[in-house]
Amino acid sequence: MATTVPREADWDQAPGLLDGASTLTLTTDDCGLAYWLSAVAQGTLAGRAETGHAPGAPTPEYMRRPGPLRDSLLIELGCRSVAEEQATRVLSYYVTHAPGIPELEFYATQLIDEARHSLVFRNHLVELGVPRERLAAVVEEVSADFTAAVIDPIIDFTLATVRDEGDFFGGVAIFAIIIEGVLAPAAELSERKWSRLDPAAGEIARGTSIDEIRHLTVASSIVRDRLAADPEFRPRLLDILRRGRQLWDAVPDRAFVMHREELFQAGLAEHADLLADYEIWPGRRLLDTTPDERYETAERWTDEMARARMAYMGLDPAIIIGHQAGAR
């Protein structure tokens, strides 16, 4: 019997990340373990489980040759693979502290999602020509400074809340509103940047974005329901969000992102024929964009998504709008 895949998990019908995360409503009851096994494992990931892309999605030969374009993607995927690995480890505490079975099941599936993201990012580095026996060393080389300056402080902040203080709901807010809420728009940008230059990388980004819609919307529902059930949680939540915003303002993520975007820019001119008619967003050709413009656009998307999700949770968007756009 064929499995019916819901629209938000269907590869061809799912909305883009920004639209889906801003407009959909999903709960732990909607997205439990049975949902994940059918809609995600047998739906979104059908034919894409190991690599994150369809067998026919190519990695062009020019992406395997040394140069700024390849370097940009190596750095992006190396940093994102480490970020997803660390997210996987942190999420084990969400499973441990989940107050009920629906929350436990959902965060068990998100843990697997993040581990899969790390896997497919690493595997694409091999498709880009990194020898598998050197994969760990290359990831360490391209991500070490970023990990120390950006990832580690965010992870420490999250662990202090969910592991040390046992605050599951505060941890949900950090992960959804601060961490993924900041990273998601840059994931959308990645999909748009690479879809024509490296179709395999574009599909990998598409698959991770479909997952992020689920992560963001379900977590928002958890926070909203907690606030409704326990109004006394609001001051604690607001304090967490303010401190999270201050932390993002303090980490030097822009320098790392801009280095990557400048490498990407240096490689664009070599592929002007391929990109001649390609618009990264309506009315704007990728070839005509600059590193600053792409960064600032992702930052604007972050704020737009924050306004929608914060309003859904009954929170003032001004609490977090104004942070730097993140890692990404």
Side-chain angles (χ1 to χ4, degrees), residues 267-282:
L268 279 182
E270 300 174 15
H271 306 285
D273 291 344
L274 176 64
L275 299 171
D277 62 346
Y278 176 65
E279 293 185 349
I280 188 170
W281 50 79

Side-chain angles (χ1 to χ4, degrees), residues 1-324:
M1 182 176 178
T3 299
T4 300
V5 180
R7 179 175 177 269
E8 74 276 358
D10 184 275
W11 190 272
D12 297 314
Q13 298 185 55
L17 174 55
L18 299 178
D19 180 39
S22 298
T23 62
L24 292 180
T25 297
L26 295 169
T27 69
T28 53
D29 289 335
D30 299 322
C31 299
L33 183 57
Y35 171 97
W36 189 91
L37 290 169
S38 60
V40 181
Q42 300 177 69
T44 309
L45 302 182
R48 297 178 170 89
E50 182 176 357
T51 63
H53 61 79
T59 298
E61 185 59 35
Y62 60 75
M63 290 300 302
R64 298 186 178 91
R65 294 196 294 265
L69 198 64
R70 180 176 182 268
D71 288 346
S72 177
L73 189 52
L74 286 178
I75 294 170
E76 177 181 333
L77 296 182
C79 291
R80 292 184 72 186
S81 72
V82 173
E84 300 284 8
E85 175 194 340
Q86 292 303 313
T88 304
R89 297 178 187 277
V90 168
L91 284 166
S92 65
Y93 295 101
Y94 287 67
V95 176
T96 298
H97 292 286
I101 294 300
E103 295 88 358
L104 180 148
E105 286 193 355
F106 175 74
Y107 278 101
T109 67
Q110 183 170 338
L111 185 153
I112 294 297
D113 287 338
E114 310 295 9
R116 185 190 72 83
H117 298 171
S118 185
L119 167 71
V120 297
F121 293 151
R122 293 194 308 272
N123 281 346
H124 195 54
L125 293 177
V126 175
E127 293 176 323
L128 292 172
V130 175
R132 190 166 289 278
E133 63 272 15
R134 292 205 64 246
L135 183 57
V138 170
V139 170
E140 168 69 16
E141 178 183 333
V142 301
S143 69
D145 291 344
F146 173 76
T147 299
V150 178
I151 296 178
D152 287 350
I154 300 297
I155 293 297
D156 289 346
F157 176 61
T158 309
L159 287 174
T161 300
V162 70
R163 180 193 64 191
D164 301 341
E165 299 172 9
D167 185 350
F168 172 80
F169 295 101
V172 170
I174 292 171
F175 216 106
I177 302 171
I178 301 300
I179 300 176
E180 290 195 299
V182 171
L183 303 185
E188 171 93 0
L189 182 63
S190 178
E191 180 181 349
R192 298 186 189 202
K193 281 168 51 182
W194 295 110
S195 60
R196 187 168 292 192
L197 287 165
D198 183 346
E203 285 210 0
I204 290 168
R206 166 69 170 164
T208 58
S209 292
I210 291 173
D211 289 342
E212 301 299 356
I213 292 172
R214 185 168 61 256
H215 300 168
L216 286 162
T217 53
V218 171
S220 296
S221 295
I222 291 173
V223 174
R224 178 178 178 171
D225 291 348
R226 179 62 175 175
L227 286 169
D230 181 14
E232 293 183 2
F233 176 60
R234 183 175 292 267
R236 163 74 172 170
L237 175 62
L238 296 180
D239 177 63
I240 287 172
L241 295 181
R242 290 189 183 102
R243 287 187 288 121
R245 171 184 171 175
Q246 290 168 359
L247 180 57
W248 267 118
D249 286 343
V251 296
D253 59 311
R254 181 183 177 106
F256 292 99
V257 177
M258 289 302 295
H259 172 61
R260 199 167 69 212
E261 289 297 332
E262 286 161 0
L263 288 170
F264 182 81
Q265 191 76 18
L268 279 182
E270 300 174 15
H271 306 285
D273 291 344
L274 176 64
L275 299 171
D277 62 346
Y278 176 65
E279 293 185 349
I280 188 170
W281 50 79
R284 188 63 170 163
R285 294 195 314 160
L286 175 59
L287 282 172
D288 297 329
T289 62
T290 66
D292 282 325
E293 180 183 3
R294 292 190 297 272
Y295 183 94
E296 289 163 4
T297 298
E299 188 175 47
R300 186 176 68 253
W301 289 343
T302 299
D303 288 347
E304 290 171 358
M305 194 173 72
R307 287 189 182 93
R309 297 316 304 174
M310 293 286 281
Y312 168 80
M313 290 180 282
L315 297 169
D316 181 359
I319 298 166
I320 63 168
I321 287 178
H323 56 68
Q324 297 174 334

